Amino acid sequence: MREMENELDNRFHFNQKNYFLRFQSHETESSNSAIYYINKHVRHALEYFVDDLKLDQNKTIDRFLDEQTVNEIFIFIAQLLLCDDDRICGNCAFIIGSTVETEKGLKQFLSIFTDDSTIETVDILQLLFQMLTHADPDCVLNATGTLGTISGSKQGRDLLLKHVSVSEMILNISVLLNSTNPWIASNAALVLARLTVEEVGCQIILTHSRHHEILNQLLAALDVNDPSRSTNIAFAIARLIEGEIGKKILINDCGQNKFFEALLIMLKINEDKGINKNACYALSCLCTSRYGYQLCIESITLFYKILVAIETILLSIEHEAVWFALMCLTTIAKHDGAYEHLCNSKQLTEIIKQVQETWIEFKDIQDESKLLWFMLHKNIKPNRPTIDECRDTSVDFSWDPCLFTEDDTDLQYRVILDDVPFTITNKTNYSINDLKPNSNYNVKIQFITSQGESIPSDATPFHTDDELPRPVINLHAVRITTSALRVVWEPPDFTACTTFKEYSIITKKIYLDEFEYEFTNECETTMNSLTANTTYQITVCPVSVKGKGETTSINVKTESAGDCLPAPPTFSVIGRRELHIKWQPPEVISGRFSRYELLCNGRCIYSGTDQEYHASKLKCDTEYIIEVCVITNDGRFRSRPVKARTLRDEFQNTIRHSLYERPTHVPVKFKRADTINARKVSPIMERRAAKEMPVINQNVQITTIRSMQLKAEVPSYSRALPGLFRNAPLRPIRAYPRSKTDLALQPISATVIIPTLSINHQAHITHATRSRAFRYPILTKSYERSSSISLTDSNYAFRRYS
C-alpha cells in the first residue's frame, strides 16, 4: 500500500521539479519586458500545474499555497489572463478557478485581490469579465466557472457586486444562458443565481438599463432539457420576484402566461429534483403578496394544473422536494379564499395526511404539513357544536375534530359561551355547569394550533330547562272514612320552575302495586271507592313541562266498616223468569243514607230506597249473582254476593228473551200472510181468516202474521206475545237517507195480530187487531227505561244506571 502511495506521489510534477519557481523567476527576469511574451518554461509550468490539479486538486492546491511566494505567483498567473494565446489564457483561468474552489484557496485569493495595491497592479475580476466574450469556449467556460465559484461566498459576492463593471458582466452572463455549450450555460446560470442571493444583486438586475432583455433571457432559460441551468434560473427568478417591484417588472417584461407555462413545465416530475424544488420556490415567492396571488387566479386554468403538479411532488420520495412543495402551498394558503382553489382536486387533504404518515421522523416536513393544514382551515368556520343534552343548570355538547394531528397537545379547542372565551380543551366534547335554569345561551368553537387560531364557528343556541319542581309542603289527611279520604297540601316554591302544570297523585295499597289516581291543579283531592280498614300510601308529585319533581308520601288507613255492610239479599220468589229479591238495611249506616243499588251479575238493575225488587224477564235455568250496595255520603258499602238459579222452562219451543241477556243476532223468520198454514184448523176457520186479511191491510202499514201451533191445554195469557213485538220487521226504508235522530223522533206504527183463543168442542178463532207505537232508543251514556210488565201482570219497575 505504501509503495502505491509512493508511486502516486512520484507522479506529481511538483515532486519531480518545482515548477512554481518558474513563475517567480520569469517575473524577475522579465520585469522590464512585455508581459505578453511567454517563454517555454512558463508554458510547461502551466501544463504541469493543470496536470497536477487534474490528478489531485486538493493536494496540488495545498502544495501551491505552501509556497513562500504564493501571492506573487497568484498575481503572475492572473496577469497571464491577458495573453492572446487561448491555451495559456484558458489554463490560467482553470488554475485560478480550481484554487478558489477550496476554502483555503478562496481565502488566499480574496486576501490578495481585495487589496487596493493589488487591484492597481492587476484587476483580476475585470480580466474574468472580459473573458466572458472570448472566442475560445474553454476560456469562457473557465471564466464563468471561476466567477461562479467566487460568488459562492458572501465576501466573493460583495467583491463582484461592488465592481464597476458588474452591470456589463451581468449582461454578458445573461447572453451566455443560451449558449450551445451546456457547461457554459449552467455556469452562467450559477453566477446569476448566486448574485441574486444578495438583495443588491436583485436590484442591479431589475434596474439594469437592459433589464427587459435580461429577464426574457432568464425566462427563456427555464428549459428542463438542461436541468442544472433551469434549476439555477428558477432560483434567480424566485429571488427577483420575491419583492413587489420585481413581480411587476417581470410580469410586465415577460407576460404572466409565459411565466406560468414555464413553471408548469418545471413542476412536472423530473429526474433532477432541483428543478421541482426551485420551481416551487419561485411560485411561493410570487404568492408572497396579494398581487402575485391575484396573478395566479387570473391564469386559473394554468394555476389548477400547477397545483395538481405540486400535489404529485408531495408524493415524491425526495425529502427536500416534498418540503418545498409544502412550503409553496402554505404560502398560497395564507390568502383569503385560497382553500377553494387549493382543494379543487379534492385530494389535497388526504395527501397531506399521507405525507405526515410517510415522513413522521422528519420534523421539518411535519411542521410544514401541520402549518399547511392549519392554513387550509383557518378561514373555514369549524362546524357548529352539537347540543347532546341540556338540563336545568348544565349542558353537554360536542363538535367535529376539524384537524387531525399525531400530537394531541398541538391541537386545542376554545369554547366560547355567549361570545366570551370560556375554556380551552384538547377534547371534542365539553360540559358547562352552573348555568341558570330557564335561560338562553349560545356556544361557539374555535380551534387553536401552534401556527395560530381559526375563526370561531357559528353559534349554537340552547335553552336551559326549568328546575324540577320541589316537593309539596305539609301533606296530610283532613278527613278519613271507610271508603274515602281527603288529603291537602301546600304548594312548593315555584321561583325556579316557571312551567308548572299540575300535581300527580299516586295511590298505593301497602304491599300492592301502585296506580296513578288523578292529576289536579288544586292543592287537595278526595279519593273514593277505597277499601275499609286498609292502609294506603298517598304520594303527591308536582309535574312541570320538564317532568315530575320530587315526591312526598304519607300513609293513611281507612276506617273500619264494622256493621255498615248490608246483609246479603234473600229471595221470596224464584220462578222460571223472575226473582223477587228482598234485603235489610245495615245495622249501622255510615254517613248520610242516599239509596240502595241492586246488582245482578255486576249490573245495576235497581236504584232506589225500597228494600225489595221483582226482577222479571230473566232467563230460565240460569244462575244470577245478586249484591246489594248501600250508598251514603261516606261511600259505597256492598253486601256479600248471593247466587240464585231460575227454574227450568218446560215450554222449550217458545222463543222468549231475558231482560238481562244480550239480544240474539239470528233473525226470527216470519211467513207471509198468504202462506198461513195453521195446523189442526178447519176449512171454515181458513176462509174466515182469508176474508179478514184485506180489511186488515187497508188499515196498517205493515202486517205480520206469525205461524204458531195452538195447544188447547195452554191458557191464552201464557203466550209469549212480547217476542212477536220484538221480532216484527221494520217498515220499508224510504227512498232518501234518514239519520238516527230522525228515526228516534218519528214513531213507527206496527200492527200486530193478537189471537184471542177460546177452545171448546166447537173450535173457532177470533182475531183482534190493535196498534202500538214504538220509538227507537237514542244511544247515550245513561238513560231511563220504562217499567216492563211480565206475563204474570206483576207491576215492578226498575231504572238502569251506567
Side-chain angles (χ1 to χ4, degrees), residues 747-772:
I748 300 175
S749 298
T751 301
V752 181
I753 299 176
I754 304 175
T756 302
L757 305 179
S758 177
I759 303 175
N760 50 28
H761 296 287
Q762 288 82 22
H764 65 277
I765 300 176
T766 302
H767 297 272
T769 303
R770 68 175 181 176
S771 300
R772 294 184 63 183

mmCIF file of all heavy atoms in Angstrom, residues 747-772:
data_model
loop_
_atom_site.group_PDB
_atom_site.id
_atom_site.type_symbol
_atom_site.label_atom_id
_atom_site.label_comp_id
_atom_site.label_asym_id
_atom_site.label_seq_id
_atom_site.Cartn_x
_atom_site.Cartn_y
_atom_site.Cartn_z
ATOM 1 N N PRO A 747 -142.277 8.284 15.247
ATOM 2 C CA PRO A 747 -142.824 6.975 15.666
ATOM 3 C C PRO A 747 -143.182 6.131 14.458
ATOM 4 O O PRO A 747 -143.595 6.628 13.428
ATOM 5 C CB PRO A 747 -144.045 7.351 16.500
ATOM 6 C CG PRO A 747 -144.451 8.675 15.961
ATOM 7 C CD PRO A 747 -143.218 9.386 15.552
ATOM 8 N N ILE A 748 -143.037 4.834 14.641
ATOM 9 C CA ILE A 748 -143.366 3.876 13.576
ATOM 10 C C ILE A 748 -144.541 3.040 14.073
ATOM 11 O O ILE A 748 -144.445 2.416 15.152
ATOM 12 C CB ILE A 748 -142.177 2.993 13.234
ATOM 13 C CG1 ILE A 748 -141.023 3.884 12.771
ATOM 14 C CG2 ILE A 748 -142.517 1.935 12.204
ATOM 15 C CD1 ILE A 748 -139.767 3.118 12.514
ATOM 16 N N SER A 749 -145.564 2.988 13.339
ATOM 17 C CA SER A 749 -146.753 2.200 13.715
ATOM 18 C C SER A 749 -146.601 0.789 13.190
ATOM 19 O O SER A 749 -146.289 0.585 12.033
ATOM 20 C CB SER A 749 -148.023 2.846 13.150
ATOM 21 O OG SER A 749 -148.197 4.137 13.702
ATOM 22 N N ALA A 750 -146.792 -0.155 14.069
ATOM 23 C CA ALA A 750 -146.717 -1.568 13.679
ATOM 24 C C ALA A 750 -147.994 -2.259 14.139
ATOM 25 O O ALA A 750 -148.395 -2.133 15.310
ATOM 26 C CB ALA A 750 -145.503 -2.223 14.298
ATOM 27 N N THR A 751 -148.607 -2.920 13.263
ATOM 28 C CA THR A 751 -149.854 -3.626 13.576
ATOM 29 C C THR A 751 -149.543 -5.067 13.900
ATOM 30 O O THR A 751 -148.830 -5.726 13.152
ATOM 31 C CB THR A 751 -150.817 -3.560 12.385
ATOM 32 O OG1 THR A 751 -151.071 -2.199 12.114
ATOM 33 C CG2 THR A 751 -152.108 -4.284 12.703
ATOM 34 N N VAL A 752 -150.032 -5.532 15.005
ATOM 35 C CA VAL A 752 -149.798 -6.910 15.442
ATOM 36 C C VAL A 752 -151.159 -7.601 15.581
ATOM 37 O O VAL A 752 -152.076 -7.077 16.209
ATOM 38 C CB VAL A 752 -149.056 -6.957 16.788
ATOM 39 C CG1 VAL A 752 -148.818 -8.378 17.207
ATOM 40 C CG2 VAL A 752 -147.749 -6.189 16.679
ATOM 41 N N ILE A 753 -151.238 -8.728 14.980
ATOM 42 C CA ILE A 753 -152.471 -9.517 15.089
ATOM 43 C C ILE A 753 -152.363 -10.376 16.327
ATOM 44 O O ILE A 753 -151.482 -11.232 16.420
ATOM 45 C CB ILE A 753 -152.682 -10.390 13.839
ATOM 46 C CG1 ILE A 753 -152.792 -9.469 12.609
ATOM 47 C CG2 ILE A 753 -153.916 -11.249 13.986
ATOM 48 C CD1 ILE A 753 -152.897 -10.233 11.318
ATOM 49 N N ILE A 754 -153.187 -10.104 17.312
ATOM 50 C CA ILE A 754 -153.157 -10.840 18.580
ATOM 51 C C ILE A 754 -154.312 -11.823 18.578
ATOM 52 O O ILE A 754 -155.489 -11.435 18.568
ATOM 53 C CB ILE A 754 -153.271 -9.896 19.783
ATOM 54 C CG1 ILE A 754 -152.159 -8.833 19.727
ATOM 55 C CG2 ILE A 754 -153.253 -10.664 21.097
ATOM 56 C CD1 ILE A 754 -152.283 -7.807 20.815
ATOM 57 N N PRO A 755 -154.041 -13.090 18.515
ATOM 58 C CA PRO A 755 -155.151 -14.074 18.509
ATOM 59 C C PRO A 755 -155.780 -14.201 19.902
ATOM 60 O O PRO A 755 -155.069 -14.216 20.912
ATOM 61 C CB PRO A 755 -154.466 -15.365 18.079
ATOM 62 C CG PRO A 755 -153.072 -15.192 18.534
ATOM 63 C CD PRO A 755 -152.777 -13.721 18.446
ATOM 64 N N THR A 756 -157.059 -14.210 19.925
ATOM 65 C CA THR A 756 -157.817 -14.459 21.159
ATOM 66 C C THR A 756 -158.427 -15.846 21.032
ATOM 67 O O THR A 756 -159.236 -16.091 20.135
ATOM 68 C CB THR A 756 -158.910 -13.413 21.358
ATOM 69 O OG1 THR A 756 -158.293 -12.113 21.403
ATOM 70 C CG2 THR A 756 -159.658 -13.641 22.651
ATOM 71 N N LEU A 757 -157.963 -16.706 21.863
ATOM 72 C CA LEU A 757 -158.318 -18.126 21.699
ATOM 73 C C LEU A 757 -159.440 -18.525 22.674
ATOM 74 O O LEU A 757 -159.420 -18.135 23.842
ATOM 75 C CB LEU A 757 -157.093 -18.991 21.912
ATOM 76 C CG LEU A 757 -155.873 -18.641 21.019
ATOM 77 C CD1 LEU A 757 -154.720 -19.572 21.359
ATOM 78 C CD2 LEU A 757 -156.256 -18.731 19.567
ATOM 79 N N SER A 758 -160.321 -19.261 22.197
ATOM 80 C CA SER A 758 -161.368 -19.870 23.053
ATOM 81 C C SER A 758 -161.581 -21.280 22.564
ATOM 82 O O SER A 758 -162.160 -21.519 21.504
ATOM 83 C CB SER A 758 -162.668 -19.052 22.974
ATOM 84 O OG SER A 758 -163.670 -19.670 23.728
ATOM 85 N N ILE A 759 -161.003 -22.193 23.264
ATOM 86 C CA ILE A 759 -161.011 -23.597 22.798
ATOM 87 C C ILE A 759 -162.148 -24.353 23.494
ATOM 88 O O ILE A 759 -162.242 -24.391 24.738
ATOM 89 C CB ILE A 759 -159.671 -24.256 23.091
ATOM 90 C CG1 ILE A 759 -158.551 -23.422 22.416
ATOM 91 C CG2 ILE A 759 -159.632 -25.693 22.633
ATOM 92 C CD1 ILE A 759 -157.175 -23.924 22.745
ATOM 93 N N ASN A 760 -163.007 -24.967 22.693
ATOM 94 C CA ASN A 760 -164.089 -25.840 23.211
ATOM 95 C C ASN A 760 -164.380 -26.896 22.173
ATOM 96 O O ASN A 760 -163.609 -27.065 21.210
ATOM 97 C CB ASN A 760 -165.315 -24.999 23.563
ATOM 98 C CG ASN A 760 -165.714 -24.060 22.429
ATOM 99 O OD1 ASN A 760 -165.446 -24.375 21.284
ATOM 100 N ND2 ASN A 760 -166.339 -22.935 22.767
ATOM 101 N N HIS A 761 -165.460 -27.527 22.328
ATOM 102 C CA HIS A 761 -165.795 -28.567 21.359
ATOM 103 C C HIS A 761 -166.048 -27.998 20.005
ATOM 104 O O HIS A 761 -165.760 -28.622 18.992
ATOM 105 C CB HIS A 761 -167.025 -29.365 21.842
ATOM 106 C CG HIS A 761 -166.754 -30.127 23.129
ATOM 107 N ND1 HIS A 761 -165.976 -31.263 23.198
ATOM 108 C CD2 HIS A 761 -167.143 -29.848 24.408
ATOM 109 C CE1 HIS A 761 -165.906 -31.706 24.459
ATOM 110 N NE2 HIS A 761 -166.627 -30.835 25.224
ATOM 111 N N GLN A 762 -166.628 -26.767 19.906
ATOM 112 C CA GLN A 762 -166.788 -26.105 18.609
ATOM 113 C C GLN A 762 -165.657 -25.098 18.490
ATOM 114 O O GLN A 762 -165.769 -23.953 18.871
ATOM 115 C CB GLN A 762 -168.152 -25.403 18.506
ATOM 116 C CG GLN A 762 -169.299 -26.360 18.368
ATOM 117 C CD GLN A 762 -169.728 -26.920 19.730
ATOM 118 O OE1 GLN A 762 -169.451 -26.297 20.747
ATOM 119 N NE2 GLN A 762 -170.394 -28.092 19.739
ATOM 120 N N ALA A 763 -164.532 -25.566 17.990
ATOM 121 C CA ALA A 763 -163.330 -24.701 17.915
ATOM 122 C C ALA A 763 -163.526 -23.571 16.934
ATOM 123 O O ALA A 763 -164.015 -23.794 15.822
ATOM 124 C CB ALA A 763 -162.123 -25.542 17.496
ATOM 125 N N HIS A 764 -163.178 -22.372 17.368
ATOM 126 C CA HIS A 764 -163.194 -21.211 16.470
ATOM 127 C C HIS A 764 -162.132 -20.233 16.949
ATOM 128 O O HIS A 764 -161.720 -20.269 18.105
ATOM 129 C CB HIS A 764 -164.563 -20.557 16.439
ATOM 130 C CG HIS A 764 -164.960 -19.962 17.755
ATOM 131 N ND1 HIS A 764 -165.541 -20.746 18.781
ATOM 132 C CD2 HIS A 764 -164.885 -18.700 18.222
ATOM 133 C CE1 HIS A 764 -165.775 -19.951 19.828
ATOM 134 N NE2 HIS A 764 -165.381 -18.700 19.508
ATOM 135 N N ILE A 765 -161.742 -19.403 16.044
ATOM 136 C CA ILE A 765 -160.666 -18.422 16.302
ATOM 137 C C ILE A 765 -161.215 -17.040 16.031
ATOM 138 O O ILE A 765 -161.822 -16.795 14.991
ATOM 139 C CB ILE A 765 -159.441 -18.668 15.420
ATOM 140 C CG1 ILE A 765 -158.880 -20.060 15.674
ATOM 141 C CG2 ILE A 765 -158.360 -17.595 15.643
ATOM 142 C CD1 ILE A 765 -157.722 -20.421 14.775
ATOM 143 N N THR A 766 -160.946 -16.166 16.996
ATOM 144 C CA THR A 766 -161.357 -14.771 16.845
ATOM 145 C C THR A 766 -160.105 -13.920 16.813
ATOM 146 O O THR A 766 -159.278 -14.018 17.725
ATOM 147 C CB THR A 766 -162.249 -14.344 18.008
ATOM 148 O OG1 THR A 766 -163.372 -15.204 18.045
ATOM 149 C CG2 THR A 766 -162.693 -12.876 17.830
ATOM 150 N N HIS A 767 -159.947 -13.148 15.792
ATOM 151 C CA HIS A 767 -158.786 -12.273 15.637
ATOM 152 C C HIS A 767 -159.172 -10.853 15.992
ATOM 153 O O HIS A 767 -160.226 -10.373 15.577
ATOM 154 C CB HIS A 767 -158.256 -12.288 14.212
ATOM 155 C CG HIS A 767 -157.751 -13.652 13.794
ATOM 156 N ND1 HIS A 767 -156.472 -14.071 14.018
ATOM 157 C CD2 HIS A 767 -158.404 -14.692 13.194
ATOM 158 C CE1 HIS A 767 -156.324 -15.283 13.564
ATOM 159 N NE2 HIS A 767 -157.494 -15.689 13.055
ATOM 160 N N ALA A 768 -158.296 -10.207 16.741
ATOM 161 C CA ALA A 768 -158.480 -8.791 17.061
ATOM 162 C C ALA A 768 -157.241 -8.031 16.648
ATOM 163 O O ALA A 768 -156.128 -8.574 16.704
ATOM 164 C CB ALA A 768 -158.774 -8.618 18.556
ATOM 165 N N THR A 769 -157.429 -6.828 16.253
ATOM 166 C CA THR A 769 -156.318 -6.009 15.743
ATOM 167 C C THR A 769 -156.184 -4.758 16.590
ATOM 168 O O THR A 769 -157.173 -4.075 16.840
ATOM 169 C CB THR A 769 -156.543 -5.596 14.301
ATOM 170 O OG1 THR A 769 -156.729 -6.751 13.525
ATOM 171 C CG2 THR A 769 -155.320 -4.815 13.780
ATOM 172 N N ARG A 770 -154.957 -4.509 17.042
ATOM 173 C CA ARG A 770 -154.697 -3.264 17.745
ATOM 174 C C ARG A 770 -153.315 -2.748 17.352
ATOM 175 O O ARG A 770 -152.443 -3.515 17.003
ATOM 176 C CB ARG A 770 -154.793 -3.423 19.261
ATOM 177 C CG ARG A 770 -153.712 -4.260 19.856
ATOM 178 C CD ARG A 770 -153.838 -4.253 21.366
ATOM 179 N NE ARG A 770 -152.770 -5.055 21.953
ATOM 180 C CZ ARG A 770 -152.592 -5.169 23.278
ATOM 181 N NH1 ARG A 770 -153.405 -4.522 24.115
ATOM 182 N NH2 ARG A 770 -151.603 -5.907 23.756
ATOM 183 N N SER A 771 -153.108 -1.481 17.445
ATOM 184 C CA SER A 771 -151.846 -0.832 17.031
ATOM 185 C C SER A 771 -151.157 -0.242 18.236
ATOM 186 O O SER A 771 -151.810 0.327 19.112
ATOM 187 C CB SER A 771 -152.096 0.279 15.992
ATOM 188 O OG SER A 771 -152.705 -0.269 14.867
ATOM 189 N N ARG A 772 -149.809 -0.406 18.245
ATOM 190 C CA ARG A 772 -148.987 0.215 19.285
ATOM 191 C C ARG A 772 -147.844 0.965 18.617
ATOM 192 O O ARG A 772 -147.323 0.545 17.601
ATOM 193 C CB ARG A 772 -148.404 -0.837 20.241
ATOM 194 C CG ARG A 772 -149.482 -1.537 21.054
ATOM 195 C CD ARG A 772 -148.845 -2.477 22.050
ATOM 196 N NE ARG A 772 -148.033 -1.725 22.984
ATOM 197 C CZ ARG A 772 -147.299 -2.294 23.960
ATOM 198 N NH1 ARG A 772 -147.293 -3.605 24.086
ATOM 199 N NH2 ARG A 772 -146.586 -1.546 24.780
#
